[in-house]
Amino acid sequence: MNGVTGRMGYRQHLLRSVLAIREQGGVPLSDGRRVLLEPVLVGRGATKLRELARRHDVEHWSTDLDTVLGDPRWQVYFDAQLTSVRHKAVVAAIEAGKHLYTEKPVAETARQVVELARLADAAGLRHGVVHDKLFLPGLLKLKRLVDAGFFGRVLSVRGEFGYWVFEGDGQSAQRPSWNYRKQDGGGVVVDMFCHWNYVLENLFGRVRAVTAKAVTHIPRRWDERGEPYEATADDAAYGIFELDGGIIAQVNSSWAVRVHRDELVEFQVDGTEGSAVAGLWGCRVQHRSMTPKPVWNPDVPTTERFRDQWAEVPDNAVFDNGFKAQWEQFIRSVAGDGEHPYDFYAGARGIRLAEAGLRSSAEGRRVELEEIAP
C-alpha cells in the first residue's frame, strides 16, 4: 500500500477498508473460503510509517518500494500517491508481476492509462481503479430504480456538487493547496469529471460528447504555511454531457459554492414514468401517477411544499463502506471469484472526459469523445 500517509490512503483505504477486512477475517468467496489480507505500508517518511504501523498493529512497512515489489509475499500493489508520481510506480509494479489497484486518476493522461492497462493485460495481471461513489447508499438505491425500470425512458440527469472551500487566510482551507495549482495536478475538472464519467456510464450510458466551461473563481489562496499563492487551476466547472440513448446530463462542480442542498452532491434523474433525487445516502422519488400539476402564477406566493410531494426510498439492506466494498470486489477478482469491471480502461475513459472537458472550455466548443477499449 503506497501512499497511506495521505488523507484518503489512510482513512478510506487502510483504516476503513484493508484493516476492516482484516478484522472481519478476510474477504469471503462464493465457495466459503476467505482471502486474508496483510498490508505492507510504503511511503517516503519512515517516522509516519512507523507510527501508523505501531498504532494499527501492522507488522510490515518500508520506505523502499523496489524491495517491497521484489518480495513475492505481496501479490497486490495499491497506489494512493499524487497522480504525478503514480505512473512510474505502477510500471514498476507491473514489471514485478503484481496485480494493480489504484486511486484515480491512474495517470495524468488517458493515453498513459491505456498503455498501463495493455502492459498489465500482457502480463496477465488484474487491474482496477477506485469507483467509490457507485457503492454509496444513495447511488445504490438509484441503481436499484434504474434496474427496475422505474424511470421509463430516462430523459435527463442534473447533478450539483460542491461546497465553499475557504481561501486559507481567515479560516484554514478544507482541501490541500496543490488542488488549486494546475502545475501540481490540481483542478476540479481533473478531480471530478473522472467521477462523473463512471457514475453516468454505469447508471445511464457512456458519455459520447461534452460541452464544458472551467473557471477559476478564486484567483488567490493561502497554503498550509499561511503563504499566499496564485490559484492556477480551475475551482469550478459547468458541464453538459451527451450520453447513449439521447440522455442529457448537466453537472455543476464547484469549490466556490455555498450548499443549499440536503447533501454535498445530488443527482436528479427525470424519466417518462418517474423522477428521483439521490445524494450520497438518501434517495427520493416521485412517480408519474403521483406527480402533481403545478400552475405558474407569479402574482401569488407559492403554497405547495414541493419537497413533501416526494417519497423516500427505503434502505432494504445494510450498506457497507463504499471503499471497502470495492476492495472486496477487486480481491475476489484476483482470487478468480467474479469480475471487477472498473479496470484501467474504465479509468482511462474518466481521464478522457476530463481532457475533453478542458479542451471544450479552452476552445469554446462541443467535443466528441474517442472510443477507449482493450
Side-chain angles (χ1 to χ4, degrees), residues 55-356:
R55 187 189 313 161
H56 297 292
D57 194 27
V58 173
E59 180 180 356
H60 307 283
W61 63 271
S62 176
T63 58
D64 188 342
L65 176 61
D66 290 338
T67 297
V68 173
L69 291 177
D71 191 326
R73 288 179 296 174
W74 317 118
Q75 301 173 46
V76 173
Y77 173 73
F78 171 71
D79 194 302
Q81 300 182 97
L82 290 176
T83 306
S84 57
V85 297
R86 184 170 296 145
H87 180 272
K88 180 180 178 181
V90 171
V91 169
I94 292 172
E95 292 174 347
K98 310 299 182 183
H99 300 291
L100 310 144
Y101 186 49
T102 80
E103 260 293 348
K104 59 87 193 157
V106 181
E108 294 183 287
T109 69
R111 179 185 57 80
Q112 286 180 320
V113 182
V114 171
E115 290 174 353
L116 291 174
R118 289 172 178 165
L119 283 174
D121 284 347
L125 302 171
R126 294 283 185 170
H127 46 90
V129 60
V130 173
H131 281 47
D132 58 286
K133 288 179 174 49
L134 292 176
F135 296 83
L136 291 165
L139 293 189
L140 288 172
K141 295 174 187 177
L142 191 57
K143 181 67 162 58
R144 188 194 305 166
L145 295 171
V146 172
D147 291 345
F150 170 82
F151 297 103
R153 181 168 61 88
V154 176
L155 307 174
S156 64
V157 181
R158 286 182 287 130
E160 288 285 345
F161 162 79
Y163 47 95
W164 188 269
V165 177
F166 284 95
E167 295 90 329
D169 52 348
Q171 298 191 50
S172 60
Q174 307 97 298
R175 298 182 65 86
S177 59
W178 71 263
N179 283 169
Y180 303 93
R181 291 190 291 266
K182 184 177 181 179
Q183 62 271 28
D184 292 333
V188 74
V189 171
V190 172
D191 190 9
M192 299 311 302
F193 275 34
C194 297
H195 285 299
W196 306 151
N197 184 79
Y198 70 69
V199 168
L200 295 171
E201 176 177 292
N202 286 279
L203 289 176
F204 308 108
R206 289 198 178 181
V207 183
R208 299 302 180 181
V210 58
T211 305
K213 181 65 177 178
V215 296
T216 305
H217 286 309
I218 309 296
R220 182 177 172 88
R221 293 181 177 271
W222 281 257
D223 64 19
E224 291 77 6
R225 299 171 299 174
E227 298 293 329
Y229 67 95
E230 180 184 1
T232 54
D234 46 278
D235 57 19
Y238 309 91
I240 300 174
F241 309 106
E242 301 173 37
L243 279 57
D244 287 337
I247 300 170
I248 303 298
Q250 307 168 69
V251 184
N252 295 330
S253 314
S254 178
W255 292 319
V257 63
R258 293 177 177 86
V259 182
H260 188 60
R261 286 171 255 119
D262 291 335
E263 301 197 50
L264 294 184
V265 62
E266 287 187 345
F267 297 95
Q268 176 162 338
V269 183
D270 291 301
T272 54
E273 297 300 316
S275 297
V277 177
L280 301 180
W281 290 90
C283 183
R284 302 181 300 279
V285 293
Q286 186 175 94
H287 191 262
R288 179 188 180 93
S289 61
M290 298 299 292
T291 300
K293 188 183 288 185
V295 177
W296 171 255
N297 188 347
D299 297 324
V300 296
T302 299
T303 57
E304 291 186 81
R305 297 176 62 87
F306 294 111
R307 287 179 181 268
D308 293 344
Q309 297 166 354
W310 295 65
E312 193 74 29
V313 177
D315 288 352
N316 288 352
V318 176
F319 300 107
D320 206 346
N321 176 279
F323 288 87
K324 175 174 175 284
Q326 195 181 350
W327 263 97
E328 291 183 327
Q329 185 185 50
F330 180 73
I331 294 299
R332 289 190 190 99
S333 75
V334 171
D337 188 28
E339 295 298 317
H340 186 269
Y342 316 116
D343 57 14
F344 280 8
Y345 296 106
R349 291 194 294 272
I351 302 172
R352 175 200 58 179
L353 180 59
E355 291 173 337

Side-chain angles (χ1 to χ4, degrees), residues 12-57:
Q12 294 295 355
H13 293 287
L14 177 63
L15 187 62
R16 297 175 183 173
S17 297
V18 170
L19 294 182
I21 291 170
R22 186 178 71 170
E23 181 67 22
Q24 74 182 19
V27 177
L29 303 180
S30 57
D31 62 3
R33 293 178 300 151
R34 285 181 173 266
V35 178
L36 303 180
L37 300 188
E38 182 63 31
V40 51
L41 311 184
V42 179
R44 293 176 298 175
T47 301
K48 288 183 178 180
L49 290 170
R50 184 184 299 109
E51 171 56 24
L52 279 182
R54 183 201 63 79
R55 187 189 313 161
H56 297 292
D57 194 27

